[in-house]
């Protein structure tokens, strides 16, 4: 099947935003939106494409998309002054629209399934840019308890929370709170692999390290290493 679609990345090649305090804010905005959009493609991979890179410029000379290996590259114009005039919510919408309609043009050119991208776009809009992903419930081996993961992200944070139903009680706990590393974030793998480790412990095992909530002890135990431990 080849490599998955590892990320959608937005690059900025202008100068206006880089000369202002908006530079860091802009980079967070485009990373947050592109990661959000990519994650809710739910694993869809355009044929022969491992990455999509959108290059935003005040002026463009290359109007046609192109490939470098399996990387799809597309240049689009950005109105920097307009972007700077917008509220935070409007900035999210402006970047999402630039990304989404560029992707639809690529879909038309290369025959990608547009419905996948439209679903992601509509999800983001309907959720008002609030990144939340709820994973399926998992039942303990003795069938007495269920556990479920809620992944939430902001521009700065990634949070893996769990809801446990056991013995007639509902318990909500945070297992992991860390820096958002966007599409390279280990939180995605941890969210998918979170499970019952035995009948009382719900969480993650990675080699000899663990992060779990113990129903019996009513306590979170965590000695996992994440990206935050290496910076």
């Amino acid at each position: 099947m080849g490599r998955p679609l590892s990320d959608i990345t937005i690059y900025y090649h202008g100068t206006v935003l880089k000369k202002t305090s908006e530079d860091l804010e802009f980079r967070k905005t485009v990373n947050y939106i592109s990661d959000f959009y990519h994650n809710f493609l739910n694993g869809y991979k355009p044929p022969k494409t491992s990455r999509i890179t959108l290059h935003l410029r005040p002026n463009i000379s290359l109007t046609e998309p192109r490939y470098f290996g399996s990387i799809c590259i597309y240049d689009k114009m950005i109105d920097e002054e307009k972007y700077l005039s917008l509220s935070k919510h409007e900035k999210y919408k402006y970047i999402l629209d630039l990304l989404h309609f560029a992707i639809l043009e690529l879909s038309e050119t290369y025959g990608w399934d547009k419905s996948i991208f439209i679903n992601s776009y509509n999800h983001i809009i309907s959720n008002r840019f609030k990144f939340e992903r709820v994973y399926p419930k998992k039942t303990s081996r003795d069938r007495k308890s269920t556990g479920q993961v809620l992944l939430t992200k902001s521009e700065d944070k990634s949070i893996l929370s769990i809801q446990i139903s056991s013995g007639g009680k509902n318990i909500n706990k945070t297992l992991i709170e860390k820096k958002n590393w966007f599409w390279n974030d280990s939180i995605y793998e941890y969210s998918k692999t979170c499970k019952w480790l035995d009948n009382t412990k719900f969480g993650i095992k990675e080699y000899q390290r663990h992060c779990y909530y113990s129903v019996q002890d009513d306590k979170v135990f965590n000695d996992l290493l994440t990206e935050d431990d290496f910076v």
Side-chain angles (χ1 to χ4, degrees):
M1 294 178 62
R3 296 172 58 192
L5 181 66
S6 61
D7 65 87
I8 299 172
T9 308
I10 299 174
Y11 295 99
Y12 170 63
H13 299 277
T15 58
V16 172
L17 297 175
K18 291 182 178 177
K19 292 181 179 179
T20 71
S21 59
E22 292 279 340
D23 181 25
L24 177 60
E25 185 271 346
F26 177 76
R27 283 185 281 127
K28 285 183 177 181
T29 296
V30 298
N31 287 342
Y32 178 71
I33 292 298
S34 59
D35 176 40
F36 197 166
Y37 187 83
H38 172 247
N39 187 255
F40 279 87
L41 301 179
N42 296 319
Y44 175 71
K45 181 187 187 304
K48 301 178 182 178
T49 307
S50 63
R51 293 186 68 204
I52 299 170
T53 62
L54 184 65
H55 296 257
L56 302 182
R57 307 175 187 274
N59 298 287
I60 58 173
S61 55
L62 291 173
T63 59
E64 297 299 319
R66 56 213 180 270
Y67 272 87
F68 180 79
S70 61
I71 302 172
C72 185
I73 304 164
Y74 200 19
D75 293 2
K76 298 299 289 184
M77 286 184 64
I78 180 173
D79 186 334
E80 298 149 312
E81 298 297 340
K82 178 179 179 179
Y83 176 85
L84 287 171
S85 73
L86 301 174
S87 69
K88 185 62 176 181
H89 190 275
E90 290 169 338
K91 286 174 178 174
Y92 280 156
K93 179 65 163 52
Y94 182 79
I95 294 300
L96 178 62
D97 283 351
L98 272 178
L99 172 61
H100 178 60
F101 291 108
I103 294 285
L104 291 186
E105 291 171 3
L106 292 172
S107 300
E108 190 69 31
T109 299
Y110 296 115
W112 301 347
D113 185 346
K114 289 183 182 179
S115 67
I116 303 292
F117 302 106
I118 292 169
N119 288 341
S120 179
Y121 178 87
N122 289 339
H123 174 85
I124 295 170
I125 294 296
S126 64
N127 284 273
R128 297 186 59 80
F129 299 95
K130 185 178 181 180
F131 191 129
E132 290 187 345
R133 178 175 279 279
V134 180
Y135 288 78
K137 289 182 179 180
K138 297 181 179 179
T139 304
S140 60
R141 296 168 194 169
D142 62 6
R143 316 298 294 177
K144 294 181 179 180
S145 305
T146 62
Q148 189 168 28
V149 168
L150 171 64
L151 170 61
T152 59
K153 282 190 164 195
S154 66
E155 288 186 359
D156 298 304
K157 292 288 186 179
S158 295
I159 300 172
L160 191 164
S161 304
I162 59 170
Q163 182 176 67
I164 303 293
S165 295
S166 182
K169 295 191 297 185
N170 291 323
I171 303 159
N172 297 287
K173 295 288 181 179
T174 296
L175 288 191
I176 301 173
E177 181 171 343
K178 57 187 284 299
K179 181 180 176 181
N180 185 0
W181 292 87
F182 305 108
W183 47 88
N184 287 322
D185 205 329
S186 61
I187 204 87
Y188 289 127
E189 188 63 25
Y190 290 150
S191 297
K192 287 190 295 184
T193 58
C194 193
K195 63 182 181 180
W196 288 98
L197 304 178
D198 58 29
N199 287 326
T200 66
K201 297 173 184 174
F202 186 74
I204 302 139
K205 179 180 180 182
E206 186 179 62
Y207 302 107
Q208 299 303 312
R209 295 184 179 274
H210 303 78
C211 176
Y212 62 81
Y213 170 72
S214 168
V215 177
Q216 184 176 357
D217 299 326
D218 188 25
K219 183 178 179 181
V220 172
F221 176 82
N222 185 5
D223 67 354
L224 281 181
L225 296 176
T226 71
E227 300 94 332
D228 294 4
D229 296 300
F230 300 97
V231 294

